[in-house]
Amino acid sequence: MELKTKRLILREKKKSDFKSIRENINNINVSRYMSVIPHPYTDKDAIWWIGHSAKKRKEKPRKDYQFGITIKPSDKVVGGIGLVITNEGGVADIGCWIGEEYWRKGYVFEATVRVINYAFDDLKLKKVVLFAAVENVGANKLIKKLGLKFVKKKKKALVVESTGKVHDTNVYEISRDEWNIK
């Protein structure tokens, strides 16, 4: 499965992606607000994630969509974005990361817009939820730019594997009816 944008292809990961995944995520600046990303991030970690994603996409009904972010025309995975359906009521969480070399170029915004459109238009979900550590200024700014509404702050809700730190998180959401970016 592939989702395309003007500059990106979001695609399911393949075994040969492990090296580019490791190269881009093995950076404490990338993993410092991610709950399940170890540091250092090894080839073994990347291979496990690719295999885990492959297992999840075979489940019926499918509830877990994990895409590698590639920048056209390259096929190199420079980031990841996932959508996980969390309940039968049509709600999904979205999380993403991108290699530091690709920050502040609009790629995460573009990828997230495409995944939210997929959630609402193709999967017919009712609501999308995103979380960001309070200290993660870039992620909070991006989520607000996407038009999601702040719902609440959850105290000590994020435990980061790479640093061992515990963070408060901001919770944002948007319904299909409120979403207006195509």
Side-chain angles (χ1 to χ4, degrees):
M1 167 190 282
E2 287 186 346
L3 303 177
K4 295 180 180 181
T5 72
K6 183 179 177 181
R7 301 182 297 164
L8 307 174
I9 296 176
L10 313 177
R11 63 164 176 78
E12 293 174 329
K13 297 171 298 304
K14 51 193 177 198
K15 289 179 183 176
S16 59
D17 293 326
F18 80 92
K19 186 176 179 183
S20 62
I21 290 169
R22 180 193 36 81
E23 286 172 357
N24 282 288
I25 204 168
N26 188 30
N27 176 334
I28 198 66
N29 292 327
V30 173
S31 64
R32 70 179 168 192
Y33 297 119
M34 306 291 292
S35 61
V36 295
I37 307 299
H39 189 270
Y41 194 88
T42 65
D43 288 349
K44 183 178 174 182
D45 296 318
I47 292 165
W48 177 88
W49 186 45
I50 293 165
H52 177 75
S53 298
K55 284 182 199 170
K56 289 292 191 180
R57 71 175 164 251
K58 292 177 185 174
E59 292 179 355
K60 302 289 182 208
R62 187 169 180 183
K63 294 184 176 190
D64 193 319
Y65 299 81
Q66 299 293 325
F67 300 100
I69 299 172
T70 67
I71 302 167
K72 295 176 184 176
S74 172
D75 192 43
K76 179 182 174 185
V77 174
V78 299
I81 186 164
L83 176 140
V84 178
I85 300 170
T86 58
N87 69 28
E88 300 300 322
V91 178
D93 293 346
I94 294 177
C96 59
W97 64 272
I98 196 159
E100 188 172 16
E101 175 182 346
Y102 306 97
W103 290 5
R104 293 184 249 332
K105 298 182 185 329
Y107 297 131
V108 173
F109 181 85
E110 193 172 323
T112 307
V113 166
R114 182 63 184 98
V115 169
I116 292 174
N117 283 325
Y118 179 71
F120 291 145
D121 298 341
D122 297 280
L123 299 177
K124 306 297 184 201
L125 299 178
K126 295 176 184 173
K127 185 172 29 175
V128 169
V129 179
L130 279 85
F131 303 88
V134 171
E135 302 90 345
N136 190 343
V137 175
N140 283 281
K141 184 176 177 181
L142 171 81
I143 294 168
K144 290 174 186 172
K145 181 178 175 184
L146 288 162
L148 278 76
K149 307 291 187 277
F150 174 79
V151 177
K152 63 184 172 184
K153 183 190 301 186
K154 291 176 93 175
K155 295 282 188 184
K156 299 181 181 182
L158 174 65
V159 179
V160 176
E161 185 173 341
S162 63
T163 64
K165 293 183 180 178
V166 178
H167 300 273
D168 295 345
T169 57
N170 290 326
V171 180
Y172 301 88
E173 64 182 40
I174 195 160
S175 69
R176 184 180 347 170
D177 295 336
E178 296 167 322
W179 178 248
N180 61 11
I181 302 176
K182 294 295 175 189

